[in-house]
Amino acid sequence: MKILLIEDDKALGESIQEYFKLHDIETVWIQDERKLPNILKVYEFDVIVLDLMLNFSRGEDLITFIRDNKINTPILILTAKTELSSKEECFLRGADDYLSKPFEPKELLLRVKALSKRVQIESILNIGDVTINIDAKTIWKNDREIKLSKTAWDLLTLLIKRKGEIVSSETILNYVWGGKAVGDEVVRTYIKELRKILPHDSIKTYKGRGYRLDNIKEN
């Protein structure tokens, strides 16, 4: 699981990041919310944890920004505000959960895990004559099972999660390889591997922009 934490309090941010690490959750933490647009361009998150009282923006406006950009990642508000009016505004703008400070770390963890389950992709998908079972990590084509490497699976999962969207090479590198220094030619190699399995033209290339997966049907 990968979480985006937007929190300007250094001590609290470090504490949350360390606690999540103990539970095998990767946390991308930003103190300056002005970095948000660039972060969202290159990373894929399971949950966004957002403080409302930040240095340069209202957290409420960031909720609107995220939703206006067609990003459906669950948003958990983590704030010292306890007023019902604040909760109402956040939910109306598109937040999914609201936790007031002070809080128990375990409660934050439980809420984050619950939110991440809401956006699990469909277990069984069809792309032309190919059937993909996400949970079982199997691909069937013409009654024959096709094996994929873990890296190819990670890439396919990302493209499915972002189906119909252009996914940049930078996003792919961060999601699949964790931002390691891997060249674009490696990405192209795995795209080619998937293209050999999927129907013709299912993965489209947008030169200088990235790749897009189309023609998915959910069961």
Side-chain angles (χ1 to χ4, degrees), residues 22-178:
L22 291 174
H23 294 273
D24 298 318
I25 296 175
E26 181 183 352
T27 307
V28 175
W29 168 39
I30 56 174
Q31 292 178 265
D32 185 342
E33 69 276 12
R34 293 174 297 183
K35 297 179 180 178
L36 180 62
N38 288 333
I39 290 288
L40 292 177
K41 286 179 183 177
V42 299
Y43 287 98
E44 178 80 14
F45 298 101
D46 296 290
V47 179
I48 297 171
V49 178
L50 171 64
D51 187 12
L52 292 182
M53 294 181 284
L54 300 164
N55 289 319
F56 305 100
S57 313
R58 294 180 70 241
E60 293 87 346
D61 294 333
L62 295 184
I63 301 171
T64 300
F65 170 81
I66 292 167
R67 296 303 184 229
D68 283 351
N69 281 273
K70 311 301 181 185
I71 297 169
N72 297 318
T73 305
I75 300 172
L76 186 154
I77 301 303
L78 188 64
T79 180
K81 292 184 177 182
T82 59
E83 303 86 357
L84 181 58
S85 59
S86 175
K87 296 178 182 180
E88 181 180 22
E89 180 180 0
C90 289
F91 284 122
L92 287 173
R93 286 175 180 252
D96 298 272
D97 200 357
Y98 193 107
L99 181 59
S100 297
K101 302 174 183 177
F103 61 92
E104 290 292 333
K106 187 171 183 179
E107 181 176 2
L108 174 61
L109 176 67
L110 292 172
R111 287 173 182 250
V112 163
K113 286 185 174 181
L115 285 176
S116 71
K117 292 177 182 177
R118 293 186 190 177
V119 292
Q120 296 296 316
I121 55 182
E122 291 293 325
S123 295
I124 300 177
L125 307 163
N126 293 306
I127 306 177
D129 60 352
V130 176
T131 299
I132 303 169
N133 189 319
I134 298 297
D135 291 339
K137 293 190 174 181
T138 58
I139 295 183
W140 291 83
K141 184 175 184 178
N142 299 325
D143 297 322
R144 181 172 66 91
E145 185 177 356
I146 299 170
K147 299 295 184 181
L148 278 184
S149 65
K150 180 184 181 303
T151 301
W153 262 112
D154 289 344
L155 175 56
L156 179 59
T157 300
L158 173 61
L159 293 175
I160 290 172
K161 289 175 73 173
R162 299 281 292 271
K163 60 184 182 292
E165 301 178 28
I166 298 174
V167 185
S168 69
S169 294
E170 191 173 4
T171 297
I172 291 171
L173 290 171
N174 279 302
Y175 185 89
V176 178
W177 284 276

Side-chain angles (χ1 to χ4, degrees), residues 5 7-18 27 29:
L5 173 64
E7 170 62 65
D8 62 353
D9 186 306
K10 186 174 186 295
L12 180 58
E14 289 176 347
S15 176
I16 292 173
Q17 192 172 47
E18 283 299 313
T27 307
W29 168 39

Side-chain angles (χ1 to χ4, degrees), residues 176-189:
V176 178
W177 284 276
K180 293 179 182 177
V182 176
D184 287 345
E185 68 279 0
V186 177
V187 176
R188 288 195 291 271
T189 297

